[in-house]
Amino acid sequence: MQSHIPSGKIAFIDEILATKANESFRVTGHLASFEASKDVATITSTESKGKLLIRTNLLEDFPFKIGALFQFIGEFNVKNKALRARVARNVDGMDTKLYAEAIKLCRKHGRLPM
Amino acid sequence: FESCSHFVVHQSDGRVARERGEHGRHLLSMLPTQCWGLDPIFWSNVKLTAQDIQKLDLHPSKKGFSILGHPISRAEIVGTVVEISLKHNRITFSVDDGTGVVNCTRFSDEAGGISSTFKKINLGDLVRLHGTLATYRMQTEIRICAIHLEENFDTLTLHLLESLYMFTKVYSKPSKVQIEFEERQRRSDNKSNKCEMGTI
């Protein structure tokens, strides 16, 4: 009963780094670094301690700004410990604290998976 | 006049009971089709997530959808566009809100057609849309009435919270029509004192 495209489960960086299976996630974080030649970016967030590697080879002409807030949807590879993003968006201005609280509240009430 | 639905549960002492199905669904007496419009939620754009839409119950008469006992026809969702499919007579957006992906279609022969708003939407954009619910190839999807490109990214957070609020305060509670309907059922059952299909 689902569309053929997998849905990106909303998760925090630490949770993604801790998963054991290759799944699709939606993650938000500030851009810490970006290597255009390798198509690899790193994101961090205030809610999480770890840094997540993002593979951006599927994204074309993406205006990467160091320090800006980005949201990525993609598939996480447990072996490479990297998320290959297929959808990316600059979400500067989004209230991350409110977002995190809303996610936790919705999970508590069973409105969000996990 | 259509006879009413068959989901009234009769207990041995003649009382009408509400049964809770899985996921806490109320298998209460479903309103007959001609009374659906009396439930105000039927006409509103019910704030749902993709997961809710995929799990929608089809009304036993197969004429519509229901959620927690309320018959509904429209929904509003907020999510990111992950796929755009443009065909000669329609445009389809696959919208991902973190709980699932819903296909939302707009046909060109609908009143207003495919306006310029639709053409401005790109992959990765945050959109808020509402429309009527429909089934297509075993999947529930939305026929778009209106779509908005959202510049403020807190809209997704707002929708998640509003949806949660509506579920706890409104959607999980029976409407006045349902209460009235059940009351009438109870009274008519007490009169006849046996299992009977009533009409409204």
Side-chain angles (χ1 to χ4, degrees):
Chain A
M1 272 258 279
Q2 281 164 340
S3 175
H4 56 280
I5 292 187
S7 160
K9 207 155 66 165
I10 303 183
F12 303 112
I13 294 176
D14 283 341
E15 290 168 351
I16 297 176
L17 290 171
T19 44
K20 306 247 167 43
N22 293 347
E23 279 182 70
S24 298
F25 290 107
R26 173 195 288 244
V27 65
T28 312
H30 292 275
L31 196 71
S33 68
F34 174 57
E35 279 175 78
S37 52
K38 290 186 195 166
D39 279 325
V40 164
T42 345
I43 57 165
T44 56
S45 75
T46 44
E47 290 89 29
S48 300
K49 300 192 187 88
K51 285 188 184 184
L52 182 65
L53 254 95
I54 309 275
R55 290 191 56 207
T56 61
N57 55 333
L58 292 173
L59 308 169
E60 23 175 80
D61 287 339
F62 200 78
F64 281 101
K65 221 168 74 177
I66 303 290
L69 191 65
F70 284 94
Q71 195 167 79
F72 299 99
I73 299 178
E75 282 63 50
F76 183 67
N77 191 309
V78 184
K79 223 166 71 174
N80 306 336
K81 285 218 155 99
L83 182 106
R84 176 185 280 185
R86 45 183 165 85
V87 173
R89 175 97 213 173
N90 182 326
V91 290
D92 273 336
M94 186 171 97
D95 189 338
T96 45
K97 202 167 147 209
L98 180 68
Y99 180 67
E101 273 185 55
I103 306 291
K104 287 176 190 149
L105 190 66
C106 287
R107 281 178 181 173
K108 201 170 102 175
H109 285 83
R111 301 282 302 143
L112 275 183
M114 206 187 274
Chain B
F1 244 50
E2 215 187 46
S3 66
C4 76
S5 74
H6 329 283
F7 289 84
V8 180
V9 178
H10 292 264
Q11 291 183 336
S12 50
D13 60 353
R15 279 186 301 131
V16 171
R18 259 183 217 199
E19 221 180 65
R20 257 183 191 274
E22 45 174 0
H23 315 300
R25 275 199 327 264
H26 293 285
L27 291 176
L28 54 87
S29 45
M30 295 289 199
L31 288 177
T33 328
Q34 66 264 33
C35 290
W36 284 358
L38 295 173
D39 187 338
I41 291 167
F42 185 74
W43 300 108
S44 81
N45 293 309
V46 181
K47 293 187 190 291
L48 298 176
T49 57
Q51 190 179 275
D52 297 326
I53 292 175
Q54 284 161 2
K55 286 191 182 160
L56 275 183
D57 311 311
L58 199 57
H59 191 272
S61 67
K62 305 264 189 282
K63 287 181 185 166
F65 299 92
S66 72
I67 195 151
L68 299 177
H70 292 280
I72 63 170
S73 61
R74 316 171 66 92
E76 175 178 319
I77 62 162
V78 173
T80 311
V81 175
V82 291
E83 193 190 28
I84 302 177
S85 161
L86 187 61
K87 300 233 162 86
H88 66 279
N89 67 335
R90 65 178 186 271
I91 185 165
T92 306
F93 299 107
S94 294
V95 177
D96 178 355
D97 65 357
T99 63
V101 181
V102 182
N103 288 332
C104 308
T105 312
R106 175 77 175 183
F107 289 90
S108 52
D109 56 5
E110 263 175 81
I114 298 176
S115 66
S116 55
T117 340
F118 290 87
K119 298 184 183 146
K120 288 194 188 127
I121 294 163
N122 294 312
L123 217 57
D125 285 345
L126 183 70
V127 291
R128 181 169 53 89
L129 62 94
H130 63 84
T132 52
L133 294 159
T135 318
Y136 179 69
R137 290 189 187 171
M138 298 298 289
Q139 274 186 44
T140 312
E141 57 170 50
I142 296 179
R143 300 270 156 89
I144 304 174
C145 287
I147 192 163
H148 312 271
L149 181 57
E150 290 291 340
E151 308 275 304
N152 188 343
F153 306 107
D154 290 322
T155 314
L156 180 62
T157 314
L158 176 65
H159 186 81
L160 288 173
L161 293 172
E162 277 187 333
S163 174
L164 172 61
Y165 180 80
M166 292 305 284
F167 264 88
T168 26
K169 296 281 182 192
V170 182
Y171 305 151
S172 56
K173 304 208 164 116
S175 63
K176 283 186 185 170
V177 186
Q178 284 172 319
I179 296 171
E180 170 75 27
F181 180 67
E182 267 193 28
E183 200 37 60
R184 288 193 188 188
Q185 280 295 108
R186 207 170 297 141
R187 270 185 254 142
S188 73
D189 290 333
N190 285 339
K191 269 190 210 163
S192 58
N193 211 32
K194 59 182 179 207
C195 185
E196 199 174 354
M197 307 282 198
T199 54
I200 268 200

